[in-house]
Amino acid sequence: MPAPQCASCHKGRAALRRPRSGQALCGTCFCAAFEAEVLHTVVAGRLLPPGAVVAVGASGGKDSTVLAHVLRELAPRLGISLRLVAVDEGIGGYRDAALAAVRRQAARWELPLTVVAYADLFGGWTMDAVARSTAGSGRSRSCCTFCGVLRRRALEEGARLVGATHVVTGHNADDMAETVLMNFLRGDAGRLARGGGLGSPGEGGALPRCRPLQLASQKEVVLYAHFRRLDYFSEECVYAPEAFRGHARHLLKLLEAARPSAVLDLVHSAERLALAPAARPPPAGACSRCGALASRALCQACALLDGLDRGRPRLAIGQGRRGRDEVGPATGTSQEREQVQPPAREAVPAVPTF
Ligand code: SF4
Ligand code: ZN
């Protein structure tokens, strides 16, 4: 059966059906619709005001590649300027290749790129060193959680270095839904409640952060990268297979097969949650070491580095109230700490899809 006409331009043949709506579109109309939806998310949410200098967290993966490309298209209309900030976590055999992809993108799109490294920022600690230090400690499966805390801090430092006023990250709707599920499965009401919305306004002197792709499905991010012929890095990090996120991702796929709206329903559910008074975290103050937002003496990143330096790595994520009190609730939203890893490799859907 021949492909139907594009439902938007009525000229070309449709090349895909949009996963959520089923609308048949040609590649050009799909990309235009995708960009218009991101523009709407940014404008309606007042995420990036005119004049903003925006640091794009660039990992070389499909999400941040698509985000940087779309924002570059929209930048003249939004009146913003872009800087790419990449984080070198110090993961042998993985990050070098991903950073090479970011460098190619920066050169092709003529965007300034700054790379910040864990080793320089965190007293010589790399993710490989953290993994060695936690091996056999019962924390060896928590690499991504450690990494998420440090990565958030590194991105903030990099953004300040380039004079950014705002930080954007490439988390898509599937990432967000996975985080909601993970927080449910851990019984972490505080992070569930803080995880709603499209970003954080920049409490405690932190730069405002947002996620312009938060309402875009992973499938459509992959399709956009395909039709725009974007060059991105799709290998999985060596520590990703151990992450708890993989279980949430698997569960989400099963849920989505039974109920296609499950991803967005979960994303929106986080926005509507209200915490019972007993579950609310204590009011935040400033970290005594670095000045970042913290509800205890040390912020999450400083407490983590302190534990590593003492040979006693500790985490407060995924523990009950007692566990949190040991090092204090982390700053910022759960997604930004927990969603730093690129999602597992997803094959480009066969196109055309008829
Ligand atoms: Fe860090 Fe991502 Fe690798 Fe986890 S998967 S260790 S968060 S780079
Ligand atoms: Zn601190």
Side-chain angles (χ1 to χ4, degrees):
M1 196 175 79
Q5 257 192 353
C6 171
S8 180
C9 67
H10 305 289
K11 292 181 193 138
R13 290 276 162 209
L16 76 148
R17 279 195 188 280
R18 296 195 74 174
R20 277 186 208 143
S21 65
Q23 192 183 29
L25 293 177
C26 67
T28 305
C29 288
F30 165 72
C31 289
F34 186 92
E35 288 163 11
E37 286 163 11
V38 176
L39 178 65
H40 180 262
T41 301
V42 171
V43 172
R46 299 183 184 172
L47 302 181
L48 302 172
V53 178
V54 180
V56 183
S59 69
K62 68 178 187 317
D63 298 298
S64 66
T65 299
V66 165
L67 176 64
H69 186 272
V70 171
L71 287 183
R72 186 169 168 272
E73 295 292 310
L74 300 177
R77 288 161 74 183
L78 290 168
I80 60 173
S81 57
L82 302 179
R83 313 274 185 272
L84 298 183
V85 176
V87 176
D88 181 356
E89 301 92 343
I91 301 173
Y94 165 69
R95 189 44 88 192
D96 287 348
L99 286 174
V102 180
R103 290 198 176 91
R104 287 196 299 276
Q105 293 164 1
R108 186 167 309 137
W109 298 335
E110 299 180 334
L111 289 175
L113 167 66
T114 298
V115 181
V116 287
Y118 280 11
D120 299 332
L121 294 173
F122 304 129
W125 283 103
T126 61
M127 259 326 284
D128 284 340
V130 171
R132 279 194 297 276
S133 166
T134 56
S137 71
R139 292 293 185 206
S140 55
R141 293 171 64 83
S142 304
C143 277
C144 290
T145 313
F146 283 95
C147 189
V149 172
L150 298 180
R151 189 178 169 83
R152 179 182 173 85
R153 172 62 54 85
L155 189 54
E156 177 86 12
E157 297 285 337
R160 289 187 187 282
L161 210 60
V162 301
T165 58
H166 291 71
V167 178
V168 295
T169 55
H171 302 125
N172 62 44
D174 295 59
D175 297 331
M176 303 305 296
E178 286 164 13
T179 297
V180 174
L181 263 184
M182 285 163 66
N183 288 333
F184 261 119
L185 293 171
R186 289 165 168 163
D188 199 332
R191 290 188 174 82
L192 263 172
R194 283 200 300 273
L198 290 159
S200 52
E203 292 168 285
L207 293 171
R209 288 189 173 225
C210 62
R211 303 174 287 266
L213 301 184
Q214 182 173 319
L215 302 178
S217 75
Q218 181 159 285
K219 285 187 187 113
E220 294 211 341
V221 170
V222 175
L223 283 166
Y224 183 88
H226 172 83
F227 283 111
R228 289 286 190 229
R229 299 180 191 280
L230 301 183
D231 162 30
Y232 63 87
F233 180 73
S234 53
E235 296 295 318
E236 192 176 60
C237 170
V238 291
Y239 301 117
E242 308 218 331
F244 182 50
R245 178 171 294 278
H247 299 287
R249 179 173 296 148
H250 179 65
L251 185 53
L252 189 63
K253 293 279 175 248
L254 296 176
L255 290 171
E256 204 184 5
R259 180 183 165 90
S261 65
V263 169
L264 272 190
D265 288 348
L266 272 164
V267 173
H268 291 310
S269 73
E271 294 161 13
R272 298 183 194 123
L273 280 172
L275 275 190
R280 283 186 199 135
C287 171
S288 61
R289 190 168 295 170
C290 73
L293 200 68
S295 295
R296 299 286 153 187
L298 294 181
C299 71
Q300 183 89 26
C302 289
L304 174 56
L305 290 165
D306 193 54
L308 285 166
D309 287 336
R310 290 163 189 253
R312 291 182 10 239
R314 294 182 300 174
L315 276 174
I317 293 173
Q319 299 174 4
R321 172 162 287 279
R322 186 173 157 270
R324 282 204 301 277
D325 286 350
E326 287 168 5
V327 293
T331 60
T333 64
S334 57
Q335 291 90 336
E336 286 154 338
R337 281 191 312 281
E338 295 288 328
Q339 289 197 337
V340 291
Q341 74 269 40
R345 177 175 189 157
E346 166 151 326
V348 174
V351 181
T353 53
F354 295 99

